[in-house]
Amino acid sequence: MSNPLRGEVIRLYKNLLYLGREYPKGTTYFRERLKTAFMKNKDITDPEKIKKLVDRGDYVIKELEALYFLRKYRAMKKRYYEPEH
Amino acid sequence: MSGRVLVGVKRVIDYAVKIRVKPDRTGVVTDGVKHSMNPFCEIAVEEAVKLKEKKLVKEVVAVSCGPQQVQETIRTALAMGADRGIHVEVSGKDYETLGPLQVSKIFAALAKKEQADLIILGKQAIDDDCNQTGQMTAALLDWPQGTFASEVSFEADKLKVVREIDGGLETIKINLPAVVTADLRLNTPRYATLPNIMKAKKKKIANVKPADLGVDVCSRLEVLKVDEPPQRQAGVKVETVEDLVGKLKEAGRV
């Protein structure tokens, strides 16, 4: 059984769910797509494949963090700094 | 030198939320609205944590003034790497009128009590845009200040600060202890992910009242009214240059 990896997958799901609260298109939009994405792969048992998918999930976390930072940075720059900056 | 850094964090309405003025024009709608840490305060926390990671300071203390809810903001700072938090309890009417002068008095008192070497604040809050707390705190403590910092480094026992000013950058060297206010380009704040938030639950947040610090939070300012900015008028399209000149003359602009 993929028991140790089960913990990893659940951890990944919770982390993504937490990040999704700030998603620009809305928390519900994010949560639906997150659930669909995870459910699509629920029957995979090969530990190698699961590890790869978890890595992809970690990559998505990094992408989301970058998205949130850029959004905030650009908003702050637009509001507080002259266009020439 | 205690190697202790105080970082001020403010709980403000989230930057992405569309602000609405209350119908009675006394302020802005805050009930049920998403709040988060002021973006410039995030940059301040990140800088303090970076200094600790480089072993240039020993302890980072996150401070916030306000009602019970600001504990969330302190928790976010703890999740980003601060060691402990101090919650200065201010609620109700006092919180509504809390401004830079009172906050800087609180910070000055805390800096003396905690024997801090450095205070890092965001340059301004996105809700009131005062840009005063850092400067006032430095004045009350008679400490040097490095405001609008886009780069901070230690040189021997002094602090080198590169400041963003109109027309470019200014580099200054100031003695410690000092007050620094963070500008946008100081660093890239890390995201407080769920595992970090969980770990931060073990960190302590102390409760303090302004009276314990000998600070009077009575405000000398009174908000008369709060209005929305005037609605943008729709533009008018014209066909030719003559039309444009004609319209401008009509409006009394030429």
Side-chain angles (χ1 to χ4, degrees), chain B residues 119-135:
Chain B
I119 300 180
I120 310 185
L121 305 171
K123 72 165 181 174
Q124 68 198 73
I126 60 172
D127 54 4
D128 55 24
D129 284 326
C130 284
N131 197 324
Q132 296 166 358
T133 312
Q135 292 85 336

Side-chain angles (χ1 to χ4, degrees), chain B residues 47 139 186 193 208 228 232:
Chain B
E47 194 60 22
L186 181 57
T193 54
V208 178
E228 282 186 19
R232 267 193 72 176

